[in-house]
Amino acid sequence: MLESARSYPITAMARVFTRQASIKSVGNRLLVEEYIRKHPEVVQVPIKRPLFILGFPRTGTTLLQNLLSLHSERRALQFWELTCPAPLLPDPEQDRAKRVAICEQDLYWANKVCPEMPTLHDVRSNTAEECWPLLSVSFAALNTDISQGLRNYGSWLLEQDTDWVYKEYKERLQLLLSQTPADQLVLKCPEHLWFLDSLLETFPDACIVWTHRNPFDCIASYCSMVSLNLRLVWSGYDPLALGEHITRRFHQGVRRAMAVRERLGDEHFFDVRFADLVKDPLGVVEKAHAHFDLPCSEAGRQAMQDFLGSDRKDSRGKHRYDAARYGLTHDGIRERFSDYLEHFGIS
């Protein structure tokens, strides 16, 4: 990753960020390995039928994760524990406070640098978030490519055997479950699309909720969102090149995932169309429960209704973007993703 960063004319701020992110990943890796060495029982913690929510960014994965985790027997992973997975202090309450404080300090500076981001995706220390930070501890996060522009690194990663990455990822989940137990984890990360074979090799009883939306909308929205990062990484960037790169990466993701699904069958999967989720989120969640034979209590239903009635920072304004700025056309995307659109009946 560092070699890739050095090969691009990135800004001085981006070099500092990449260096600090790498130091944080190495530090987290050492802390996790040392904790497991001292507490080998951690890797015996069972992970039963984990729920994975995957799909393109901007397809409702955040909403689904929040709704599905609002049941007493399940939990999602909060941002503070994803970014600092190993305990730092022996006392649990003091340890949590310290790790939350570290996370909030990081978020403070991130929001200073990019103040628009909370209106697109409201991230706080205690919100449920994507689990790619656990992959970054193995230096195997595709986010470094699609969000930060290190394309050579992404191309290299997509050629690797990532079974070992997911084995380590599982150990980090076990570590987090050992601290805050739950019968079932609810995890979310678009990156799992690209590495679905390794995910199912590691979690053969996984329950996968795959969200679907017209790629034109997803790619245009995502390009707009990651442009906030790229203006800092590159100071300037070519929006047409960005549109082509994200389109290519997203196409690789669905192509790889569909190949895995064709080989293994539909048993692990429940498909959710974005339009259905927007229209009836509770109905979609009820169907997911029925599909995987998951319990859904009245308390859980009430919690979901309360969540849908709450105010969120990222729901106050509509995310506006110009697809033409990124060279995107409906016909071009429809032609490129024709197999995906036809297979899942997406209009």
Side-chain angles (χ1 to χ4, degrees):
M1 186 178 76
L2 293 175
E3 181 180 346
S4 180
R6 284 192 293 266
S7 70
Y8 289 110
I10 61 177
T11 64
M13 179 181 291
R15 292 188 185 282
V16 171
F17 171 80
T18 303
R19 180 177 183 275
Q20 292 305 114
S22 300
I23 291 172
K24 185 177 181 66
S25 292
V26 170
N28 276 335
R29 184 178 187 86
L30 293 173
L31 287 168
V32 167
E33 290 181 350
E34 179 65 9
Y35 189 87
I36 292 177
R37 186 185 69 80
K38 292 180 177 178
H39 306 276
E41 68 277 6
V42 162
V43 296
Q44 301 304 318
V45 173
I47 299 179
K48 301 175 182 177
R49 302 189 72 203
L51 267 166
F52 286 95
I53 303 165
L54 54 86
F56 291 144
R58 322 303 287 174
T59 58
T61 56
T62 298
L63 175 60
L64 272 174
Q65 183 183 38
N66 280 292
L67 293 177
L68 285 165
S69 63
L70 290 172
H71 299 265
S72 58
E73 69 278 2
R74 298 185 209 126
R75 84 176 188 93
L77 299 178
Q78 296 183 358
F79 196 53
W80 66 269
E81 55 185 338
L82 286 166
T83 57
C84 193
L88 302 175
L89 298 172
D91 180 80
E93 291 187 9
Q94 292 179 0
D95 174 66
R96 178 184 175 119
K98 183 175 180 65
R99 290 156 70 189
V100 167
I102 292 172
C103 179
E104 291 182 345
Q105 182 74 1
D106 291 343
L107 286 172
Y108 171 82
W109 288 112
N111 290 332
K112 281 288 186 182
V113 171
C114 189
E116 306 98 326
M117 189 58 73
T119 64
L120 302 182
H121 180 62
D122 182 25
V123 180
R124 287 164 284 162
S125 62
N126 64 346
T127 51
E129 298 298 334
E130 295 177 3
C131 50
W132 67 262
L134 298 180
L135 300 173
S136 71
V137 182
S138 300
F139 287 90
L142 192 62
N143 183 274
T144 308
D145 170 347
I146 60 176
S147 178
Q148 299 170 32
L150 300 185
R151 299 174 186 177
N152 291 344
Y153 168 79
S155 296
W156 171 84
L157 180 61
L158 289 170
E159 294 176 354
Q160 306 307 305
D161 180 349
T162 53
D163 285 356
W164 70 270
V165 174
Y166 276 82
K167 178 179 180 296
E168 293 189 345
Y169 167 79
K170 179 180 179 180
E171 290 179 351
R172 288 156 204 154
L173 295 180
Q174 291 171 311
L175 171 57
L176 293 172
L177 274 179
S178 73
Q179 299 167 57
T180 307
D183 292 341
Q184 189 175 38
L185 282 171
V186 183
L187 303 156
K188 174 195 74 167
C189 190
E191 293 202 22
H192 296 315
L193 267 179
W194 284 263
F195 307 106
L196 191 56
D197 50 351
S198 293
L199 184 147
L200 286 171
E201 176 69 25
T202 307
F203 305 98
D205 61 346
C207 304
I208 297 175
V209 179
W210 189 347
T211 57
H212 304 283
R213 185 184 183 186
N214 191 307
F216 177 85
D217 300 309
C218 303
I219 294 169
S221 178
Y222 191 69
C223 284
S224 175
M225 186 171 73
V226 300
S227 69
L228 301 179
N229 288 333
L230 296 181
R231 73 185 185 191
L232 302 174
V233 174
W234 302 98
S235 69
Y237 67 95
D238 181 352
L240 296 179
L242 174 62
E244 171 57 28
H245 179 65
I246 297 301
T247 299
R248 182 170 60 254
R249 284 288 186 254
F250 279 26
H251 185 246
Q252 287 175 316
V254 294
R255 187 161 45 84
R256 288 163 66 116
M258 288 174 67
V260 173
R261 185 164 174 171
E262 182 178 359
R263 186 172 74 251
L264 298 180
D266 294 331
E267 176 186 357
H268 293 279
F269 299 89
F270 177 73
D271 297 301
V272 174
R273 293 179 180 83
F274 181 73
D276 296 335
L277 180 63
V278 172
K279 181 179 179 181
D280 184 14
L282 291 181
V284 166
V285 173
E286 290 280 0
K287 290 177 182 177
H289 282 127
H291 182 83
F292 292 119
D293 193 23
L294 301 175
C296 183
S297 66
E298 286 303 319
R301 291 187 178 92
Q302 185 60 53
M304 290 192 294
Q305 290 176 345
D306 292 344
F307 178 84
L308 291 171
S310 65
D311 183 33
R312 304 202 318 273
K313 288 182 181 180
D314 52 1
S315 64
R316 290 177 185 163
K318 185 176 181 180
H319 178 203
R320 301 184 184 279
Y321 49 83
D322 179 11
R325 172 175 170 78
Y326 306 103
L328 305 175
T329 65
H330 284 285
D331 288 344
I333 295 298
R334 188 179 301 112
E335 180 180 357
R336 198 154 185 176
F337 289 84
S338 58
D339 290 348
Y340 170 70
L341 294 170
E342 181 178 351
H343 185 88
F344 293 105
I346 304 166
S347 58

